[in-house]
Each structure stands twice: as C-alpha cells, then as structure tokens.
Amino acid sequence: MKLDEIHAVIATLREEYKGWQTPAVTIVAQCNGSPYKVLISCLISLRTKDEVTALASARIFARAQTPEEMVTLTVDEISHLIYPAGFYRTKAGQIAVLSLKLVEHYHGAVPDDIDKLLQFKGVGRKTANLVMTLGFGKPGICVDIHVHRICNRLGYVSTKNPDETERVLRNQLPPEYWIMINDLLVAFGQNHCHPVSPRCSNCKLADICNKVGVKASR
Ligand code: SF4
C-alpha cells in the first residue's frame, strides 16, 4: 500500500467515524479522563464488550477516581463494581495491586513512561500505549486485535501478532496518525470490518483494500 493510499484510508475513516459509536475507553478519556481512569477503563475493557466496559467504568469511577480512593475499596467491592467484565475477579485484583503501587511508589500519579507502565501486572503493550496516547496525549501506537486485523486485511502490514504490527507501524505509519489509528480502527472493526464476515460489499475502502485473509464477507 502506497503512502497516498494510507492518507486516503485515514481520511475516509475519519469521515465514517462520525456515524459510529465511540469506543468506551475513548469516551472515558474525552470526559475529563485522567491517565489513571484511562488505565483502569482499559484494563476493564480487555476481552469485554464495549457496552459492558462503559457501564463498569461508570460504576467504578462513581466510587473511586484516583488510586488513593481505589485503595479504600476491597477486591470484592471492585469485583462487584466491574462485574460482568471478562475475568472480573482477576482484573479486580490487578486494579487493587496497581493502585496500591501507584500510591506507594509514584505519589498516586500514573507514570508517563511506557516501560514503567509495562511493569504493572496486567498491563500489556496495548494498555500502555493507550494510556500514553489517550491519557497523556503523547506519541504511541496502540495495536489491539482490531488494528492488527484490519492493517493486515488492507495489506498495509503483513504480520503475525499485534506486537509485530506495532513495530512495523512505528516504522511506516506517518506520525500524525499514531494516536488516532487505534480509535479509528477499533470503531471500524466494531461497526463495519468485523472479525467474521466483514461488510466488504458496501465498504468505502473496497477499492484500496487487498482483503488479505478474508474468506467470507457480506
Ligand atoms: Fe474490511 Fe472488507 Fe472494507 Fe477491506 S473491504 S476494509 S476487509 S470491510
């Protein structure tokens, strides 16, 4: 895929995005979301439907918006607040441990350093990048399963896993698109280019897309 084609892809997706539902973690970031709230919401969102993430985030932030407030809750209380998010008990434990570590070692502030973020249990590259981009507005490319799948389908990358996709994108994606690519492709993946049976017949990217690996479509 040539450079002018990726410019066209982004321009098209930005236009289409206006008609799609905004991803839950993005809404948290847009509504005065601190890096801490982006971090917690992103942890809740892993393997969880967006509607569930949105409601679970609202419930937990109604009780605790900072690490100092979160450490006053028990793991059971956190579990109850984020239920039925996927792996809610494990995530509740991670949220409790992570919040205590922030209070004890970082004066309650989330570090704006991807390597430090990766040291927290439960925080992978996707979450760390999202905290950097949505939480701090700093450069990063958050590659989740949607970004990985769609970049490969388009033929923009040819990679085997999200970490490899992130490495390739860091080399070839124009920097002005780094922060927005996750938001655009998550919304596109949830609303149009679905994991199974994407809507290729009425896709605005059909002329550019190589449909790599697409076996069945609508
Ligand atoms: Fe996805 Fe199909 Fe559109 Fe390609 S043409 S971006 S596979 S929906």
Side-chain angles (χ1 to χ4, degrees), residues 45-63:
S45 77
L46 303 174
R47 298 188 183 219
T48 300
K49 288 196 166 136
D50 238 32
E51 312 86 81
V52 173
T53 298
L55 291 173
S57 297
R59 278 194 302 274
I60 198 163
F61 296 144
R63 292 286 305 278

Side-chain angles (χ1 to χ4, degrees), residues 153-154 188 192-193 198-200 203 205-206 209 211 214:
R153 280 180 175 171
L154 289 168
F188 186 45
H192 196 100
C193 188
R199 299 171 183 272
C200 300
C203 180
L205 302 181
C209 180
K211 303 182 187 67
V214 176

Side-chain angles (χ1 to χ4, degrees), residues 8 10 29 37 58 76 78 80 103-104 107 115 135 142 154 170 198-200 207 218:
I10 298 288
K37 286 168 75 174
D76 277 352
I78 298 172
H80 185 68
V103 170
E104 289 183 343
H107 306 289
D115 293 322
C142 175
L154 289 168
R170 280 177 180 269
R199 299 171 183 272
C200 300
D207 290 344
R218 284 176 270 178

